[in-house]
Amino acid sequence: MANLQIANLLVQGTQMLLVLALAPLLTGLVRKVKARLTRRRGASVFQPYRDLARLLNKEAVLAHNASWLFRAVPYLLFAATWVAAALVPTFGTGLIFSWSADLIVITALLGSARFFLALAGMDVGTSFGGIGSSREVMISSLAEPAMIMIVFSLALVAHSTQLSTIASVMVAGVGLRVSLALALVALAIVAVAENGRIPVDNPATHLELTMVHEAMVLEYSGRHLALIELAAQLKLLLFISLVACVFVPWGLAPAGAGAGAVVLGMASYGAKLAAGAVLLAVFETSIAKMRVFRVPDFLGAALMLGLLGTLLLFVSRIL
Amino acid sequence: MALAPTVQLLAALSAVAALLVLAVAGAVLARGPLGRPVVYGGALAVTLLAAVSALTAIPAPIGGLVLPLGIPWIGANLRLDALSAVFLVVVNLGGAAASLYGLGYGRHDHAPERVLPFFPAFLAGMNLVPLAADAYTFLLAWEFMSLASWALVISHDKEAGNVQAGLVYILMASFGTLALMLAFGLLAAGGGGFTFEAMRAAPPTGWAGAVVLVLALLGAGSKAGLVPLHVWLPLAHPAAPSHVSALMSGVMTKVAVYGFIRIVFDLAGPPDWWWGIPVIVAGAIAGVVGVLQALLQSDTKRVLAFSTIENIGLIFVGLGLALAFKASGFGGAAALAFTAALFHVFNHAAMKSLLFFGAGAVLTATGSRVMDRLGGLIHRMPVTSVVMLIGAAAISALPPLNGFASEWLVFQAILLSPELPAWGLKLSVPAAGALLALAAALAAACFVRLYGIVFLGRPRSEQAANAHEVDAFSRAAMIALAAICVAAGLFPGLVIDALQPAVTALIGVKMPAQSEVAWLSIVPVAESRSSYNGLLVFLFIASSALLTAFIIHRLATGAVRRAPPWDCGFPNADPVTQYSAGSFAQPIRRVFARTLFAARERVEMPPPGSLAPARIEITARDPAWAFLFLPLAGLVERIATRANRLQYLTIRQYLALVFGALVLLLLVLALWT
C-alpha cells in the first residue's frame, strides 16, 4: 500500500514537470508543421522556449491604471491551468491526487482561469481588452456546457467522473459506441474553441478586430505575458492529453506499474502528442477562420452532439 | 401526539417576539438619533442568538407547542424540526448580516421612519414561517412577511418606478397566497383538519395530490421567482434599500423554497413518479431565462435580482430530482439531490446577500446603480472590490468556492438519474442538465460583465472617480459573508453533514457521512465514482501560484515600469471609449436573446458632415410580460370597463339584479343536492 502511494506520488510529480516541459515543444511542433504545410521553413520547434526565456527576463510594462488584479491574474491563470493539466493522465493513470478533482472540477478550473483572464482584459479600460473579453465569454458560454455534456457522456459510460477511473475503463475496452463517437466530435470542436485555434480564433493574427484571446492579453508584457503564453500552451497540451487518455488510451501505464510500463507509457504519450499536433496543424491549414457570429453555430453543434450522446446513454446503457 | 416544547423552540419564539418589539421601538424611535442603533443593533443580537440556537436545533429532537392564539379551535401550532431549523439558520444568518450592514448603511437613509419599523417586522415574519405547524399560522406569517417586505419595497416612494414595483409585487404576492390557501384547503380536505399533523396523517389521494403539487409550485414558485411568475422580482428587489434587497433576494426566496418543501415533501404524501418533471422543467427554464435577462440589464441591482431567478432554478432542479428519485425508490440518490438543493439554498443566501451589500456600497459611494456611470472602483474601494470579487466568483460556480460545490452535487445527482425507470424523466433530466450547464456558463459571463464594468477599467463619471470606501459596519458585514462563502467552499463536507438530519427527516435516507472521508474530501456516492476536495484544489493553486511568483522574481526579474496603456498604439483618453454594459453583452445578446427576448438594436448614424450624435437603441422584451401578464391586464381592464356600466343603473334595475342573483343562488342550491 505504502509502496503504491510512493509510486503514485512519483508519477504525479513526474507528470507535473513533464507537462510543463513538453507544453512549449508541442506548440513549437504545431507551428513547425503548419509552416511546412504552407511551404515555409518555419522557426525551430524549440523557438517557444526561447520566447518564454526572453519574455521572462524583460521588465513588465504596466499601464498607469492597472490594478493589483491585473498583476495577479497571470499567476492565477497559470497555476489553475497547471493544476488542471497535472490531473489529466498523460503516460500513466496512477496520479496520487486524481481523487481531489474529477473531470467536472478540471473543466471548472479552466473556467476559473478564463473568468480571471476576461476580467484582466477589462482592467486597463481599453476598447480592445473589452472586445476580447466579451467575445471570449460568448464563446465559453457555449463551449463550457458542451464540455459538461461530453463529461456526462463519458461519466455515464464509465460510471464515474474520476478521470483515472474513466481512463482505466477505456483501457479495459468498452467497444464502439455511438455516444462516444458523438462525444469525440464534440470534444474536438470544444478543444479547438477553448484553445483559440482556427476556425474560432487565430493565434497568429495581427489584425486586432479579428482577435479574441490575443485582444484580451494585449496589455500584457514581460513575465506576465510569458505566464499567459505558457498557460495557453499547457491548455493545448491538456486537451490533447484528454482526448488521448479517453479515446486512445492504449499504452497508459496502470497504477503501480513497473518501470517498463512507464517507459512504454511515455513513448506512447509522446507519439500521441505528436500525432495530435500534426492533426491540429493539418486541420488548421485546411480551413479558413470563421466570422465571430458564425462561431455560435459551430459550438452549438458541439453542444447538441454532446446532449445527443448523453440522451442516448440515458435511453440505453449500451449505445 | 403532543410534542413538548424544546429550549430551541422557545428561543426561536422569543426571537420572533423580540423582533416584533424592535419593530414597535423602530416606529417610536425612528426620527431620533437612537432609532438606527437600537433597531439594527437589537436585530443583530437577536438574529445572531437565534442562528446559534437554530444550529443546535438541527440534530435535536422535534419541539412542538400550541399557543391559544388565532382560530380558537385550532390555536397557533408551532413546531421546530430539522428542516425548520436549517431554514432558520439561513434566515437568521442573512438577517444578522443585513442588520450589521444596516448599522452603517442606514445612516444614508433620508426617511428612516419608512424602514426602521418594517425591517425587524420582516425578519419576524421570516422567522415565524418555518415555525408554523398549521395552515392558518403559516399563511398569517407568510402574509406578514409579504406585507412587511412590500412596505420596505415602497419605502423610497419618490424614486421613479418604485410604487409601480410595489403594486406588481403585492398583486403577485396575493396570487401566491391564494394558491397556497387552495393547496392547504385540499390538504385539509383529506379528513384531518388544518394542523400539519392532521394533514400528514391523511395525505391527499389521487388527483388531489397532483393539484396540491401544482398549487405549491405556483404559490411558493411565485414568491421564489420561478419563470413566468418572476416578473415582480426584478422590479421589487432592487427598489428596496440594499440591505433589504439582500434579505429579499437572499433570504425571502429561501423561505418560499421552504414552503414548497414543507408542502410537497412533507404534507402531500408519497410522490407520484411524474411529480419531479414539472419541478425540474420549471427550474431549468428559470435557470436559463433568469441569467440571460441578467445579462441584458444595465442596473447593478437588477442584474443581481435576475441572477436570483437563475439560482432558484438550480435549487428547484435539485428538488425535482429528489422528488423523482424518492418516487422511484432510490433513497440514496434522492438524499444526494435534496442535499444539493439545501446546500445551494445556504450558499445562495450567503453570496447573494454579499453581492447586494456590494451593490449597496457602490450606490453609497457613487450614488449610482447604472453600470455605465461606474468603473475603476477597484482603486477607490479596496475592501469592497475584494469581497465582491469573491462573491462574483462564488456565484459563477468557480472552484474552490461554495457555489461550485453545490452545483457539483447537482451534476452528480443528474449523473445518477439514468437509473430512473420513467421515460419522461429519462428525456427531461439530461435536457435540464444541459440547460443548467448553459446557465452556469452564462452566469460566469454575467458576473465578468458586472465586475468588469463596475470595478475595473476607468471611471465613467465624476462620482465614480471620486468614490470612497464605505463605513466599517458595511465592510464587516461583507467580509463576514465572504468568509462564509470561502469556508463553505473549502469545507463542503461540514455543511453537507450538518444538513443530514433534515434530509433524513424528509427523504428517509441520508448521504454517507462526509466527516469520515480522509482529507476533508466529499464523496457523494462512492470513491470510485466521484470525489472532490475544495481545500486541496485551493492549496494546489495557491502554492503553485506563489511558487511560480517566487521563482520568477528570484531567477528572472521582478522589474516593473509604468507607462500609458498600449491599446495597439491608439490609446484614447476618453473613458467612454471603453466597453460598456451594453456593448459587452452584445455578442451574447445577438446569439441568445434575439429569438427568446426579441432583442433588437437600432443604430442611427448621422450623415457625414452632420454634428448630430450617433445613437444606438437596444430593446428587449420579457416574454412573460408580452404573452402572459400584459394580455391578462388588458383582459381585466376590458372587463372592468364593461362592468363599469353597472355603476350607473336606476334603483329598479339594481333591485332586479338583487332578485336575479337570489333566484340564481337558490337554483344552484336546489340543483346541488
Side-chain angles (χ1 to χ4, degrees):
Chain A
M1 194 61 200
N3 276 338
L4 183 65
Q5 293 277 341
I6 293 170
N8 285 349
L9 188 62
L10 273 178
V11 171
Q12 181 78 63
T14 320
Q15 158 138 0
M16 281 203 89
L17 298 177
L18 186 74
V19 290
L20 204 54
L22 283 183
L25 182 64
L26 179 70
T27 301
L29 186 62
V30 174
R31 285 188 195 154
K32 184 79 178 175
V33 177
K34 274 178 81 172
R36 279 302 167 92
L37 286 172
T38 48
R39 295 208 163 185
R40 287 181 287 123
R41 186 177 296 157
S44 149
V45 290
F46 298 105
Q47 186 60 36
Y49 295 99
R50 294 184 202 131
D51 290 344
L52 288 177
R54 193 192 60 217
L55 282 172
L56 280 174
N57 284 307
K58 283 194 164 192
E59 63 178 1
V61 183
L62 292 177
H64 286 304
N65 65 333
S67 68
W68 59 267
L69 187 68
F70 188 80
R71 302 178 66 172
V73 162
Y75 298 99
L76 271 178
L77 171 77
F78 170 73
T81 317
W82 191 21
V83 170
L87 292 168
V88 178
T90 52
F91 61 89
T93 56
L95 297 171
I96 192 164
F97 290 121
S98 75
W99 50 268
S100 69
D102 65 357
L103 195 46
I104 298 179
V105 182
I106 292 175
T107 311
L109 274 178
L110 295 178
S112 303
R114 182 177 26 232
F115 180 87
F116 285 103
L117 188 61
L119 283 181
M122 302 179 75
D123 185 61
V124 176
T126 57
S127 36
F128 285 127
I131 204 174
S133 297
S134 90
R135 287 177 177 180
E136 176 83 5
V137 298
M138 183 267 280
I139 291 172
S140 73
S141 71
L142 282 161
E144 252 180 43
M147 186 66 197
I148 293 285
M149 285 293 106
I150 296 161
V151 175
F152 277 14
S153 298
L154 298 178
L156 290 174
V157 169
H159 295 272
S160 170
T161 50
Q162 291 306 115
L163 202 41
S164 297
T165 317
I166 295 177
S168 321
V169 170
M170 295 292 172
V171 173
V174 291
L176 286 176
R177 295 198 182 203
V178 184
S179 52
L180 285 184
L182 296 176
L184 176 59
V185 178
L187 183 55
I189 296 177
V190 169
V192 165
E194 286 270 354
N195 286 296
R197 312 299 301 196
I198 296 174
V200 172
D201 188 8
N202 184 355
T205 183
H206 295 287
L207 182 62
E208 295 88 354
L209 286 175
T210 64
M211 289 176 175
V212 180
H213 179 86
E214 299 301 315
M216 249 191 320
V217 304
L218 210 52
E219 295 295 326
Y220 275 111
S221 57
R223 58 181 181 277
H224 298 144
L225 186 59
L227 282 174
I228 290 172
E229 300 256 300
L230 188 53
Q233 293 163 357
L234 272 171
K235 199 169 167 187
L236 180 63
L237 180 104
L238 184 157
F239 270 94
I240 293 184
S241 308
L242 183 62
V243 174
C245 92
V246 174
F247 293 99
V248 270
W250 298 287
L252 267 181
V262 170
V263 171
L264 179 70
M266 293 220 179
S268 67
Y269 179 61
K272 289 175 204 168
L273 272 190
V278 172
L279 279 177
L280 178 64
V282 171
F283 177 73
E284 279 201 300
T285 330
S286 54
I287 200 165
K289 191 187 166 302
M290 283 179 188
R291 285 178 54 216
V292 169
F293 284 103
R294 288 282 306 282
V295 172
D297 299 338
F298 184 60
L299 282 170
L303 180 56
M304 282 300 134
L305 287 174
L307 177 59
L308 197 60
T310 310
L311 264 176
L312 286 177
L313 287 165
F314 265 77
V315 171
S316 159
R317 271 295 162 98
I318 53 157
L319 280 171
Chain B
M1 174 189 69
L3 291 160
T6 53
V7 186
Q8 289 96 343
L9 176 60
L10 295 177
L13 284 177
S14 328
V16 174
L19 287 167
L20 289 176
V21 171
L22 281 175
V24 176
V28 176
L29 300 174
R31 285 190 174 278
L34 277 178
R36 184 170 47 85
V38 166
V39 168
Y40 291 124
L44 173 62
V46 171
T47 46
L48 264 186
L49 289 176
V52 173
S53 154
L55 196 60
T56 62
I58 298 176
I62 302 172
L65 180 65
V66 184
L67 290 180
L69 298 168
I71 300 179
W73 61 92
I74 303 175
N77 289 261
L78 301 160
R79 187 167 179 270
L80 180 61
D81 61 7
L83 181 71
S84 307
V86 165
F87 277 88
L88 281 181
V89 171
V90 171
V91 167
N92 286 307
L93 272 185
S99 307
L100 181 58
Y101 186 81
L103 271 173
Y105 187 77
R107 198 176 297 158
H108 313 288
D109 217 327
H110 41 78
E113 72 279 5
R114 303 182 70 109
V115 175
L116 288 181
F118 301 113
F119 180 80
F122 182 34
L123 283 175
M126 291 196 294
N127 263 301
L128 194 55
V129 172
L131 292 173
D134 67 76
Y136 178 78
T137 314
F138 185 93
L139 289 172
L140 189 76
W142 185 274
E143 276 296 83
F144 189 72
M145 169 181 90
S146 298
L147 284 178
S149 55
W150 171 74
L152 289 165
V153 165
I154 56 165
S155 63
H156 294 169
D157 63 329
K158 298 286 186 293
E159 283 168 35
N162 282 7
V163 173
Q164 172 87 15
L167 180 67
V168 176
Y169 175 35
I170 199 91
L171 279 174
M172 289 301 290
S174 316
F175 168 78
T177 310
L178 179 69
L180 287 183
M181 209 182 276
L182 292 174
F184 282 126
L186 275 174
L187 287 169
F194 284 97
T195 63
F196 286 177
E197 205 171 331
M199 293 176 187
R200 221 172 271 132
T205 48
W207 59 268
V211 178
V212 167
L213 170 76
V214 173
L215 286 171
L217 206 52
L218 289 177
S222 71
K223 194 64 145 190
L226 282 183
V227 174
L229 303 170
H230 67 286
V231 288
W232 64 274
L233 193 150
L235 299 174
H237 287 190
S242 297
H243 55 310
V244 179
S245 307
L247 275 184
M248 292 182 75
S249 243
V251 180
M252 188 176 70
T253 52
K254 307 309 173 310
V255 178
V257 170
Y258 165 81
F260 180 80
I261 295 176
R262 179 61 77 193
I263 293 175
V264 173
F265 281 80
D266 191 14
L267 304 178
D272 260 344
W273 68 268
W274 60 266
W275 283 20
I277 297 179
V279 183
I280 292 172
V281 169
I285 291 175
V288 173
V289 170
V291 70
L292 272 178
Q293 286 199 279
L295 269 161
L296 300 180
Q297 306 304 317
S298 56
D299 171 320
T300 50
K301 284 170 81 175
R302 278 177 72 101
V303 172
L304 296 177
F306 272 112
S307 141
T308 294
I309 298 171
E310 181 230 333
N311 284 279
I312 288 294
L314 179 67
I315 292 168
F316 270 84
V317 170
L319 292 177
L321 283 170
L323 267 182
F325 284 125
K326 191 183 172 192
S328 306
F330 295 101
L336 169 60
F338 194 70
T339 307
L342 285 187
F343 193 9
H344 201 69
V345 161
F346 175 80
N347 288 342
H348 183 246
M351 54 205 186
K352 190 47 65 70
S353 299
L354 167 60
L355 289 165
F356 264 114
F357 292 168
V362 170
L363 180 60
T364 309
T366 64
S368 183
R369 288 173 6 200
V370 182
M371 286 162 74
D372 286 337
R373 297 187 54 75
L374 301 169
L377 293 179
I378 195 169
H379 302 285
R380 314 286 312 178
M381 307 175 76
V383 177
T384 307
S385 61
V386 172
V387 291
M388 276 293 270
L389 186 60
I390 294 176
I395 204 164
S396 306
L398 302 185
L401 294 164
N402 59 350
F404 176 74
S406 43
E407 180 124 9
W408 186 80
L409 286 180
V410 173
F411 283 149
Q412 295 298 338
I414 288 176
L415 287 174
L416 290 175
S417 47
E419 314 287 337
L420 291 168
W423 281 93
L425 284 161
K426 276 187 187 297
L427 297 177
S428 56
V429 171
L435 288 178
L436 278 192
L438 183 63
L442 286 170
C446 174
F447 283 91
V448 166
R449 171 174 174 264
L450 182 70
Y451 194 85
I453 304 277
V454 173
F455 286 94
L456 304 178
R458 289 173 286 161
R460 294 175 177 81
S461 68
E462 187 93 352
Q463 290 85 346
N466 299 322
H468 287 288
E469 185 57 280
V470 286
D471 58 277
F473 290 117
S474 306
R475 291 203 304 266
M478 292 191 284
I479 291 172
L481 286 177
I484 289 179
C485 286
V486 173
L490 297 186
F491 309 104
L494 300 182
V495 186
I496 292 173
D497 278 355
L499 293 171
Q500 291 315 306
V503 177
T504 320
L506 291 171
I507 305 290
V509 187
K510 62 176 179 170
M511 279 176 65
Q514 305 294 326
S515 53
E516 289 162 14
V517 181
W519 291 89
L520 297 166
S521 289
I522 51 174
V523 179
V525 188
E527 183 129 21
S528 68
R529 196 171 177 110
S530 53
S531 58
Y532 163 60
N533 190 321
L535 180 64
L536 217 51
V537 167
F538 170 73
L539 288 179
F540 282 154
I541 294 181
S543 54
S544 39
L546 290 175
L547 187 71
T548 314
F550 177 75
I551 290 179
I552 287 182
H553 282 81
R554 202 62 194 268
L555 297 182
T557 171
V560 162
R561 182 159 59 85
R562 291 278 178 174
W566 158 234
D567 205 14
C568 276
F570 297 99
N572 190 326
D574 196 337
V576 295
T577 58
Q578 299 177 90
Y579 253 50
S580 66
S583 50
F584 191 86
Q586 184 235 29
I588 288 182
R589 194 169 60 231
R590 285 202 184 165
V591 174
F592 295 101
R594 195 178 282 238
T595 43
L596 202 50
F597 304 118
R600 296 284 179 273
E601 295 158 15
R602 214 160 53 84
V603 182
E604 251 176 54
M605 270 294 175
S610 160
L611 293 177
R615 287 184 189 287
I616 178 165
E617 194 184 355
I618 300 162
T619 55
R621 61 162 165 68
D622 188 337
W625 276 113
F627 297 116
L628 185 59
F629 290 103
L630 289 180
L632 202 64
L635 188 69
V636 170
E637 176 115 34
R638 275 207 298 283
I639 293 175
T641 320
R642 289 275 172 82
N644 198 20
R645 258 187 276 161
L646 292 179
Q647 304 223 344
Y648 302 101
L649 301 182
T650 62
I651 189 87
R652 277 179 299 122
Q653 284 166 317
Y654 277 125
L655 284 175
L657 272 183
V658 170
F659 180 70
L662 197 64
V663 170
L664 197 70
L665 282 177
L666 285 173
L667 261 178
V668 167
L669 215 58
L671 292 177
W672 190 268
T673 50

